[in-house]
Amino acid sequence: MNVIEEADLFQSLKQDVLDQLNNAADLSNQQLLELIEQTMFHFSRTHVLTASQMEKQVQRLFHSFRGLDVLQPLIDDKSITEIMINMHDEIYIEKNGRLTRFQGCFDNEQKLMDIIQAIVAKVNRIVNESMPIVDARLPDGSRVNIVLPPIALKGPTMTIRKFPEKPMTMEDLVRMDTLDAEAAEFLKYLVIAKFNIFISGGTGSGKTTFLNALTNFIPQEERIITIEDIAELQMNHLPNIVRLETRNANTEGKGEISIRSLIHASLRMRPNRIIVGEVRGAEALDMLQAMNTGHEGSISTGHSNSTMDMLSRLETMIFSGANLPVGVIRKQISSAVDIMIHLTRLRDRTRKVTEIHEVIGIVDGEIQLNPLYVFVENEGSTLQHVNGKLQRVGNKLMHSMKFTMAGLSSMRW
């Protein structure tokens, strides 16, 4: 059965179900499923279908009424990490690091729009022609970005970034060769000793996953405030945690609550640490000031191509919101951030920690870094496979007072 025949079969079955329904909402999930199965059974009396074809159609019919339609099997497939809907009949997926086109599609553009509106409604967001761009999330925590016409020229566009059902631990990342056990142990003690850490990396490099793994080392007795555009951090292991999420403006342009507002609010909530999922703009200054005012051990992330690039971007972010001299901005960064970690998605689609630097201060007006670990590619690498290791540079940690204050030895580093 080709794609067109399968689509025709689905439409015929769906119409049969609709003919028997006054309102699908009046039925429980079990009742709806039984109705669909009965319809499928009667249909199979006059049409030759395999058991797998019948099961597939039953599931898709059910999802078209109660789930996310054609997307539901992709959401349920744990091996798929990203779903990209370019238009209602053009869907791509990322699976095992590779992009492929998905053969299924929505019935029409309106069905895709219905799914989009259902998603944003569940997280109290609005998306329409006057507000055509929105971020949202699914019940399982998957991150959703939506762009509508007239901005999206081909039709409604939706990108879904899925996250593992169980958050990865640092042990998982070591097993996946994202970093080695020695570097992981070093980062563990940095978190315990309340070093302020900033994680940088490109899109899809694993910043959120890595941040989640780092939080496993936060002592249980501490009070944590997380601040995100869309809540996606999975930190259920911490008992005393408050999760804050931004809010977009309403249709009248009112009611917006920004990351800056949430950082200000968090300071009055007696946090031990503040975790900002990602800084993109002027809120970077507020984050740094929070790190500088007694909230040690705070962590944040940002987009960049290298550690040095991240420092430059932080300068630009701060300058955009506060017209401060460059020297003052650099002083704020160097006094607030202790450790910079950079992640990279390499050409073979693996994600690696490629740099760990200590921020040691200002010299001749420039922020100085002390390289601690650097990823080194070896001769066994090919275009298809990167062979290398995160290697310790040999430099000692210069500012080790936090280790001493935490009762830890810094001799190894």
Side-chain angles (χ1 to χ4, degrees):
M1 185 181 297
N2 60 37
V3 175
I4 295 176
E5 290 172 337
E6 192 169 318
D8 289 343
L9 171 61
F10 172 76
Q11 291 300 332
S12 179
L13 287 167
K14 188 172 184 179
Q15 189 57 54
D16 285 350
V17 174
L18 287 170
D19 288 343
Q20 301 174 67
L21 287 175
N22 291 321
N23 187 352
D26 293 337
L27 301 182
S28 67
N29 286 347
Q30 185 59 38
Q31 289 172 326
L32 177 61
L33 184 59
E34 289 173 358
L35 175 60
I36 292 171
E37 288 174 342
Q38 290 171 7
T39 303
M40 187 78 251
F41 176 73
H42 289 302
F43 190 87
S44 65
R45 289 178 173 177
T46 54
H47 298 77
V48 179
L49 295 172
T50 66
S52 62
Q53 287 173 334
M54 291 171 65
E55 182 181 4
K56 182 178 179 181
Q57 291 299 329
V58 167
Q59 289 298 316
R60 187 178 173 192
L61 282 165
F62 180 78
H63 293 321
S64 71
F65 287 103
R66 293 287 162 86
L68 294 179
D69 198 65
V70 71
L71 297 182
Q72 195 63 51
L74 306 181
I75 297 294
D76 296 337
D77 188 337
K78 305 303 181 186
S79 64
I80 294 174
T81 53
E82 197 128 15
I83 305 167
M84 292 148 276
I85 301 101
N86 297 342
M87 54 192 300
H88 77 277
D89 59 355
E90 186 180 315
I91 301 173
Y92 285 83
I93 60 173
E94 181 186 62
K95 189 172 185 176
N96 300 322
R98 297 190 176 276
L99 282 178
T100 56
R101 182 161 182 173
F102 176 58
Q103 293 304 310
C105 65
F106 290 94
D107 296 342
N108 48 53
E109 187 174 296
Q110 185 56 51
K111 183 60 179 179
L112 172 56
M113 278 299 302
D114 292 342
I115 294 296
I116 286 173
Q117 294 299 339
I119 289 172
V120 299
K122 288 181 180 178
V123 289
N124 296 316
R125 305 250 163 165
I126 297 171
V127 64
N128 50 42
E129 283 192 9
S130 61
M131 300 176 63
I133 302 174
V134 71
D135 289 316
R137 68 175 183 275
L138 299 180
D140 66 357
S142 297
R143 185 172 64 203
V144 182
N145 173 262
I146 297 163
V147 183
L148 300 185
I151 306 300
L153 301 182
K154 295 169 70 173
T157 299
M158 181 162 58
T159 307
I160 301 173
R161 170 76 59 82
K162 294 172 61 184
F163 295 98
E165 193 171 9
K166 181 184 176 183
M168 287 190 185
T169 64
M170 197 59 70
E171 290 77 13
D172 294 329
L173 296 177
V174 169
R175 207 160 31 245
M176 295 168 60
D177 205 27
T178 300
L179 74 170
D180 63 17
E182 180 192 293
E185 185 182 21
F186 173 54
L187 295 177
K188 171 184 176 180
Y189 288 117
L190 289 177
V191 173
I192 293 173
K194 293 191 172 183
F195 281 73
N196 291 326
I197 298 173
F198 200 96
I199 303 165
S200 62
T203 300
S205 60
K207 297 184 295 299
T208 302
T209 298
F210 197 82
L211 171 55
N212 251 323
L214 278 182
T215 63
N216 283 291
F217 302 134
I218 295 175
Q220 294 279 302
E221 66 271 13
E222 294 188 12
R223 178 172 170 80
I224 311 301
I225 311 294
T226 67
I227 299 170
E228 302 172 82
D229 273 329
I230 288 293
E232 57 191 29
L233 292 173
Q234 298 168 287
M235 296 164 59
N236 298 326
H237 57 284
L238 293 170
N240 192 353
I241 184 169
V242 176
R243 304 177 69 201
L244 304 178
E245 183 181 72
T246 62
R247 186 175 71 188
N248 292 339
N250 59 24
T251 53
E252 298 174 347
K254 298 178 181 179
E256 179 184 11
I257 299 176
S258 66
I259 283 184
R260 297 195 75 175
S261 300
L262 293 178
I263 292 175
H264 293 160
S266 72
L267 299 178
R268 297 187 288 273
M269 300 171 74
R270 199 227 171 261
N272 291 109
R273 306 182 195 228
I274 299 172
I275 310 292
V276 179
E278 183 180 336
V279 293
R280 298 190 183 98
E283 69 273 6
L285 177 60
D286 303 283
M287 180 65 206
L288 296 178
Q289 289 176 337
M291 289 178 169
N292 264 329
T293 53
H295 304 95
E296 295 180 326
S298 295
I299 311 173
S300 188
T301 78
H303 277 84
S304 75
N305 295 320
S306 67
T307 300
M308 289 303 298
D309 179 47
M310 189 69 249
L311 291 172
S312 297
R313 292 203 68 235
L314 281 172
E315 289 180 19
T316 304
M317 290 177 197
I318 295 170
F319 190 80
S320 69
N323 193 13
L324 297 173
V326 173
V328 174
I329 293 173
R330 290 177 179 173
K331 181 65 176 174
Q332 283 278 346
I333 295 171
S334 66
S335 61
V337 180
D338 298 312
I339 299 292
M340 302 283 293
I341 303 170
H342 187 75
L343 291 98
T344 304
R345 187 173 187 180
L346 302 175
R347 62 179 179 273
D348 62 354
R349 300 178 178 85
T350 58
R351 298 169 174 88
K352 307 280 188 185
V353 174
T354 51
E355 301 174 39
I356 301 177
H357 293 271
E358 178 189 14
V359 181
I360 56 177
I362 302 285
V363 176
D364 296 328
E366 299 288 337
I367 298 175
Q368 298 299 302
L369 298 176
N370 177 29
L372 301 174
Y373 290 84
V374 176
F375 182 82
V376 178
E377 193 171 336
N378 62 36
E379 295 179 354
S381 287
T382 64
L383 287 174
Q384 291 75 33
H385 178 69
V386 176
N387 196 350
K389 185 180 179 183
L390 184 68
Q391 295 185 0
R392 190 170 172 180
V393 173
N395 297 332
K396 286 283 187 180
L397 191 72
M398 297 184 67
H399 297 159
S400 58
M401 180 58 71
K402 288 186 177 181
F403 276 134
T404 304
M405 296 293 289
L408 301 170
S409 171
S410 61
M411 292 302 293
R412 290 182 57 189
W413 296 288

